[in-house]
C-alpha cells in the first residue's frame, strides 16, 4: 500500500520504505528551522500519530514549540502510549535519519496530536501537513526531531586528511575597529543565524564535543567532566565565535574546524577588545578554545605538533590579556559615581518598604495578579538581601517550594535521595521554615557539606504568605503548557529563573522601580561585606558564620568582595603610627648617659670615660699584651 502524498506548500517528499505493518514516506518541512515528518500508511487501518522521543537531556535543546508539543501529548494521553519496535522502528529511524539508539517511539492518537499542535502554535506548514493527513484514514504521521537533537546519536564525524592548526601563529594581535554593522548579538543563536546551528556537520561536531566534555569518564581528556553550567558557557562562546566568523568573515558553513585557525582566533580577540569586553570574558573564550583543541587532539590524526604549539600559544595569549586589560572597577566610590552602588542601609530600607507595601496592598485589594506579583518581588528581594547573609543567586534561582515532591532538579546531581535546594515548612504553629542548600558553588570543596539554616520569623511569615494564595494566582495567570513551575520564584512568564541573566535584569528593573539604582543582584554580596568589614560596622552576625551562609570563607571576603581591604588596613596602620610615636616619646624618661671623649698622651687613640673622675685607660697593642703575659 503506497503512502498518500502531501501537497501543502513548503513540503517536500523523499524516500519510501515498507515493513510488515507500515509504509513510511519521509517529508521534509521547509522552515527556517527544518523538521521532519514521516507519513505512515497503516496496513491495519488504524489512525495514529507517532512521536519520536529521545533522552530527557536532549529535550532541553528542542525548540520551545516542539518541547511544549511533547508535554501536551504526554499530558493528554496521561503518559500512556504504545511503543513502536522491531523492524518497524528500525525502518522509521533509518528513514528519519536517526540512529537506532533512540530509546523508543511512542504512538499517540491523531486527534490528540492535532489538538496538541494547535495548543502549541507550531508553524503553519507542520499544522497543514497533519490536517492533510487527518483527511486520509489510512495514514500515520511521525514527528521527527530537528537534526541538532539527533547529533548525540550520530556516528563520529570524519576527520580531515591532515588535522593540524594554521601556522605560523600570529606574534601580535591585529588592529581591529568595530565595523559599521556591529551587532552585539552576532552569535549563531541570534535570530538571523539560528538556522545554521542545525546544519548537520556543526550539529554533529557539537554533539561529539559535548560528549567529550561532559562524559563522567573520558580518559583522553584532562580534568573532570564539565558541569552543566560550564558546558552552557562553553557552548555560548563557541556559537559567538562561529557567528563572528559567519557574519564578519563571510564563512558560509561555520564548524568547529574554524578553531584550528589561529589568525581567526587572534582577530576575534581583537574584536572583543574593540567592543570593550572584559578581560575575564576574553579569557573564558580562550579557555573554551583550548577545550575545543583538546577535543580535536583526541581524534584520529590529532597528534600533529601544531596542537601542542597551539595550546601554548593560547595560554600565552590568555596571560597577556589578563596582564594588559584592566579589570572592571569594584570600588564602592567609583561604582556610586556611575550609579551602580547602594549602601547597605539604603538597600535594607528599600526592601523593607517593599515588604510593608506589598502586605498592605494585599490586605486592602485582596489577592490579584498585581498584588501577588508585588508580594513575590518583595519576598525575592528579602531573600537576596536584608534578612539573610547574601545567599548565592544560583541557590535562590534553584530553590524549590514545599509543595514540590519530585526528584532533585539540579542537572548534575547524582544522589538518588537528594531533594535539591529546598525551602521546607517544618511546622505551622509556631511557623518554622528551613532552607537546605546541598548544591552550592563550594559543595565539592566542602566534602558535599550542606548549607542549612532556619529562616528568621519575619522572612518566614512573608514567604509563607506568598506561597499561599498569591503564588497560586501567579501560577494560574502565567501557567505554561505542561507541569507547573516547581521553583519558589518565577519570572513574568511563570518560569523559574533558570538563566542568571534573566534574574539580573528582573532585579535591576524592580530596584529602579523602587527608587534605587540598576545594581546587579550579585553586588549585594559586596555591599554586605563592605559594611561588615568597615570601621563603622554595626552589631550583627559573626563574619565566619555569615561567610558560611554565603558559601565561602572570610578569607575570600578579603580577596574578592572587600574592595576597601588594603586601603583600610594601610590607613589604619598610618593612623596607629601616630599613637605609637607618642607612646615612644613618653614611655622612657631616663636621662641618656654622659659620655665624654679623651685621648691618651702616649697614643693617638680616643678613649671613652664614664665620668670625668674616672681614670683614663691606656691603649695597648697586641704585642704589649703578649710581653706582659710572658
Amino acid at each position: 500500500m503506497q503512502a498518500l502524498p502531501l501537497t501543502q506548500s513548503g513540503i517536500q517528499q523523499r524516500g519510501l520504505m515498507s515493513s510488515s505493518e507500515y509504509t513510511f514516506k519521509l517529508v521534509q518541512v521547509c522552515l527556517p528551522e527544518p523538521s521532519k515528518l514521516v507519513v505512515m500508511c497503516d496496513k491495519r487501518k488504524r489512525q495514529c500519530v507517532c512521536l519520536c522521543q529521545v533522552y530527557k537531556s536532549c529535550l532541553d535543546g528542542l525548540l520551545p514549540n516542539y518541547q511544549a508539543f511533547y508535554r501536551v501529548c504526554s499530558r493528554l494521553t496521561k503518559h500512556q502510549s504504545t511503543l513502536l519496535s522491531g523492524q518497524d522502528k528500525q525502518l522509521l529511524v533509518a528513514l528519519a535519519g536517526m540512529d537506532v539508539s533512540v530509546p523508543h517511539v511512542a504512538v499517540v492518537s491523531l486527534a490528540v496530536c492535532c489538538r496538541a499542535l494547535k495548543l502549541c502554535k507550531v508553524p503553519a506548514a507542520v499544522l497543514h501537513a497533519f490536517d492533510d493527513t487527518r483527511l486520509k484514514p489510512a495514514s500515520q504521521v511521525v514527528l521527527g526531531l530537528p537534526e541538532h537533537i539527533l547529533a548525540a546519536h550520530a556516528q563520529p564525524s570524519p576527520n580531515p586528511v591532515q588535522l593540524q592548526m594554521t601556522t605560523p601563529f600570529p606574534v601580535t594581535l591585529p588592529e581591529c575597529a568595530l565595523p559599521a554593522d556591529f551587532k552585539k548579538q552576532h552569535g549563531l543563536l541570534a535570530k538571523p543565524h539560528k538556522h545554521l546551528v542545525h546544519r548537520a556537520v556543526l550539529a554533529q561536531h557539537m554533539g561529539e564535543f559535548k560528549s567529550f566534555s561532559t562524559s563522567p569518564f573520558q580518559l583522553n581528556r584532562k580534568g573532570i567532566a564539565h558541569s552543566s553550567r560550564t558546558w552552557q558557557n562553553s557552548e555560548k562562546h563557541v556559537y559567538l565565535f562561529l557567528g563572528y566568523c559567519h557574519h564578519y568573515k563571510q564563512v558560509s558553513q561555520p564548524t568547529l574546524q574554524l578553531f584550528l585557525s589561529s589568525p581567526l582566533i587572534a582577530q576575534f580577540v581583537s574584536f572583543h577588545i574593540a567592543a570593550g569586553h572584559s578581560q575575564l570574558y576574553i579569557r573564558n573564550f580562550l579557555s573554551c578554545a583550548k577545550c575545543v583543541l583538546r577535543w580535536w587532539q583526541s581524534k584520529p590524526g590529532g597528534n600533529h605538533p601544531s596542537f601542542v604549539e597551539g595550546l601554548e600559544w593560547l595560554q600565552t595569549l590568555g596571560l597577556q590579556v589578563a596582564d594588559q586589560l584592566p579589570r572592571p572597577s569594584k570600588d564602592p566610590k567609583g561604582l556610586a559615581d556611575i550609579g551602580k552602588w547602594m549602601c547597605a542601609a539604603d538597600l535594607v530600607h528599600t526592601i523593607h518598604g517593599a515588604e510593608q507595601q506589598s502586605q498592605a496592598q494585599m490586605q486592602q485589594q485582596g489577592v490579584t495578579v498585581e498584588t501577588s506579583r508585588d508580594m513575590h518581588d518583595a519576598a525575592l528581594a528579602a531573600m537576596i538581601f536584608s534578612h539573610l547573609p547574601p545567599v548565592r543567586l544560583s541557590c535562590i534561582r534553584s530553590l524549590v517550594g514545599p509543595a514540590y515532591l519530585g526528584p532533585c532538579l539540579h542537572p548534575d546531581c547524582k544522589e538518588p535521595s537528594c531533594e535539591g535546594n529546598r525551602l521546607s515548612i517544618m511546622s505551622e504553629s509556631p511557623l518554622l521554615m528551613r532552607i537546605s542548600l546541598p548544591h552550592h558553588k563550594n559543595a565539592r570543596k566542602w566534602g558535599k557539606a550542606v548549607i542549612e539554616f532556619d529562616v528568621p520569623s519575619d522572612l518566614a511569615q512573608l514567604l509563607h504568605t506568598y506561597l499561599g494564595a498569591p503564588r497560586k494566582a501567579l501560577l494560574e495567570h502565567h501557567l505554561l503548557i505542561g507541569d507547573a513551575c516547581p521553583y519558589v520564584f518565577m519570572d513574568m512568564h511563570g518560569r523559574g529563573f533558570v538563566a542568571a541573566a534573566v534574574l539580573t535584569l528582573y532585579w535591576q528593573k524592580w530596584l529602579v522601580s523602587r527608587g534605587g539604582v540598576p545594581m546587579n543582584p550579585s553586588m549585594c554580596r559586596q555591599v554586605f561585606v563592605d559594611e561588615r568589614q568597615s570601621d563603622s560596622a554595626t552589631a550583627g552576625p559573626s563574619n565566619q558564620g555569615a561567610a558560611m551562609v554565603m558559601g565561602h570563607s572570610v578569607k575570600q571576603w578579603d580577596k574578592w568582595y572587600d574592595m576597601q581591604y588594603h586601603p583600610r588596613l594601610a590607613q589604619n596602620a598610618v593612623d596607629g603610627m601616630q599613637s605609637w610615636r607618642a607612646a615612644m616619646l613618653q614611655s622612657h624618661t631616663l636621662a641618656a648617659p654622659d659620655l665624654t671623649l679623651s685621648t691618651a698622651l702616649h697614643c693617638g687613640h680616643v678613649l671613652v670615660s664614664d665620668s670625668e673622675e674616672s681614670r683614663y685607660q691606656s691603649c695597648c697593642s697586641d704585642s704589649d699584651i703578649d710581653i706582659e703575659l710572658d
Side-chain angles (χ1 to χ4, degrees), residues 11-122:
I11 307 293
Q12 298 176 352
Q13 303 181 39
R14 300 185 300 166
L16 184 65
M17 305 179 80
S18 297
S19 68
S20 59
E21 299 179 0
Y22 305 98
T23 299
F24 304 93
K25 175 172 286 188
L26 178 64
V27 178
Q28 184 75 29
V29 182
C30 299
L31 299 170
E33 297 177 356
S35 61
K36 294 177 180 179
L37 302 175
V38 178
V39 180
M40 298 177 60
C41 292
D42 186 359
K43 297 181 180 179
R44 296 175 296 180
K45 307 299 182 184
R46 293 197 310 180
Q47 300 181 37
C48 290
V49 174
C50 295
L51 169 67
C52 295
Q53 179 186 355
V54 297
Y55 292 105
K56 182 181 182 299
S57 59
C58 296
L59 286 173
D60 296 335
L62 277 170
L63 305 179
N65 287 338
Y66 294 112
Q67 188 173 4
F69 173 79
Y70 162 74
R71 290 178 176 174
V72 170
C73 287
S74 298
R75 187 179 65 177
L76 294 179
T77 58
K78 298 181 180 179
H79 305 281
Q80 296 178 358
S81 58
T82 305
L83 302 184
L84 192 67
S85 59
Q87 183 184 8
D88 298 327
K89 175 185 172 182
Q90 293 177 7
L91 290 175
L92 171 64
V93 297
L95 184 60
M98 296 180 292
D99 189 80
V100 293
S101 61
V102 174
H104 63 268
V105 178
V107 180
V108 297
S109 69
L110 183 61
V112 167
C113 182
C114 291
R115 183 181 174 189
L117 288 173
K118 292 179 180 179
L119 289 173
C120 300
K121 299 179 181 180
V122 298

Side-chain angles (χ1 to χ4, degrees), residues 360-382:
Q361 289 179 347
M362 187 68 66
Q363 293 176 355
Q364 296 172 3
Q365 304 177 21
V367 179
T368 65
V369 175
E370 290 75 16
T371 58
S372 299
R373 177 56 62 177
D374 289 341
M375 180 157 286
H376 165 277
D377 295 345
L380 174 60

Side-chain angles (χ1 to χ4, degrees), residues 485-553:
C485 178
Y487 300 104
V488 174
F489 303 107
M490 64 189 80
D491 62 13
M492 294 301 294
H493 303 284
R495 298 170 298 197
F497 293 100
V498 179
V502 177
L503 178 57
T504 297
L505 295 176
Y506 189 94
W507 162 269
Q508 288 178 336
K509 184 178 179 180
W510 177 84
L511 195 57
V512 170
S513 69
R514 302 295 307 181
V517 299
M519 181 179 69
N520 289 348
S522 59
M523 194 64 67
C524 293
R525 297 165 68 84
Q526 184 177 338
V527 171
F528 177 76
V529 172
D530 181 75
E531 193 281 332
R532 298 309 306 149
Q533 296 286 75
S534 66
D535 295 332
S536 59
T538 59
S542 67
N543 291 350
Q544 186 175 4
M548 181 71 67
V549 175
M550 293 174 68
H552 52 221
S553 63

Side-chain angles (χ1 to χ4, degrees), residues 594-598 608-617:
D594 185 10
L595 302 179
T596 58
L597 300 178
S598 62
V608 180
S609 174
D610 292 337
S611 64
E612 293 182 356
E613 298 178 355
S614 60
R615 297 181 178 180
Y616 292 115
Q617 299 177 1

Side-chain angles (χ1 to χ4, degrees), residues 190-419:
K191 290 183 179 179
H193 321 300
K194 197 170 183 179
H195 65 282
L196 296 174
V197 176
H198 311 317
R199 295 288 177 87
V201 177
L202 177 57
Q204 194 163 339
H205 281 181
M206 290 301 295
E208 295 177 17
F209 178 49
K210 181 178 182 179
S211 177
F212 175 82
S213 303
T214 60
S215 296
F217 297 99
Q218 189 75 33
L219 301 184
N220 57 350
R221 176 199 66 213
K222 289 186 177 180
I224 61 177
H226 284 3
S227 65
S228 57
R229 183 177 179 180
T230 304
W231 166 249
Q232 290 173 2
N233 291 335
S234 298
E235 188 180 39
K236 176 190 69 175
H237 285 294
V238 167
Y239 285 140
L240 285 173
F241 174 65
L242 298 184
Y244 166 82
C245 296
H246 172 72
H247 186 74
Y248 296 112
K249 299 301 177 181
Q250 289 74 48
V251 178
S252 59
Q253 298 289 339
T255 66
L256 293 190
Q257 200 162 347
L258 294 175
F259 279 88
L260 301 181
S261 173
S262 54
L264 276 179
I265 294 178
Q267 294 171 21
F268 188 54
V269 171
S270 296
F271 173 79
H272 274 307
I273 296 175
H277 296 158
S278 67
Q279 56 110 336
L280 180 60
Y281 189 85
I282 300 175
R283 291 170 61 195
N284 287 339
F285 162 72
L286 295 175
S287 177
C288 172
K290 287 191 287 187
C291 292
V292 177
L293 287 189
R294 292 191 180 98
W295 168 69
W296 279 115
Q297 197 176 23
S298 69
K299 300 176 71 63
N303 55 354
H304 196 273
S306 61
F307 282 98
V308 178
E309 298 175 13
L311 290 172
E312 294 178 353
W313 179 78
L314 288 174
Q315 180 71 14
T316 301
L317 179 56
L319 292 175
Q320 296 187 8
V321 164
D323 178 66
Q324 295 299 319
L325 296 187
R327 288 182 176 269
S329 175
K330 289 187 177 182
D331 178 66
K333 185 178 183 303
L335 292 173
D337 293 340
I338 61 175
K340 297 288 186 181
W341 179 268
M342 291 179 66
C343 68
D346 292 343
L347 200 53
V348 170
H349 179 76
T350 300
I351 296 174
H352 180 65
E355 295 177 35
Q356 291 184 324
Q357 182 178 349
S358 64
Q359 293 173 350
Q361 289 179 347
M362 187 68 66
Q363 293 176 355
Q364 296 172 3
Q365 304 177 21
V367 179
T368 65
V369 175
E370 290 75 16
T371 58
S372 299
R373 177 56 62 177
D374 289 341
M375 180 157 286
H376 165 277
D377 295 345
L380 174 60
M383 280 288 298
I384 293 177
F385 199 77
S386 182
H387 291 274
L388 304 172
V391 182
R392 289 192 183 275
L393 296 179
S394 58
C395 297
I396 296 177
R397 291 188 290 109
S398 60
L399 193 68
V400 297
Y404 178 72
L405 303 177
C408 177
L409 298 178
H410 194 278
D412 300 323
C413 182
K414 299 179 178 63
E415 299 293 335
S417 60
C418 179
E419 297 181 348

Side-chain angles (χ1 to χ4, degrees), residues 147-194:
E147 290 182 350
H148 69 288
I149 300 301
L150 309 175
H153 306 287
Q155 296 298 323
S157 58
N159 291 295
V161 176
Q162 189 173 14
L163 193 61
Q164 66 181 66
M165 293 195 67
T166 304
T167 53
F169 295 97
V171 296
T172 186
L173 291 180
E175 295 290 335
C176 179
L178 290 181
D181 61 340
F182 169 68
K183 296 180 180 179
K184 291 185 177 180
Q185 295 184 348
H186 60 272
L188 289 190
L189 295 181
K191 290 183 179 179
H193 321 300
K194 197 170 183 179

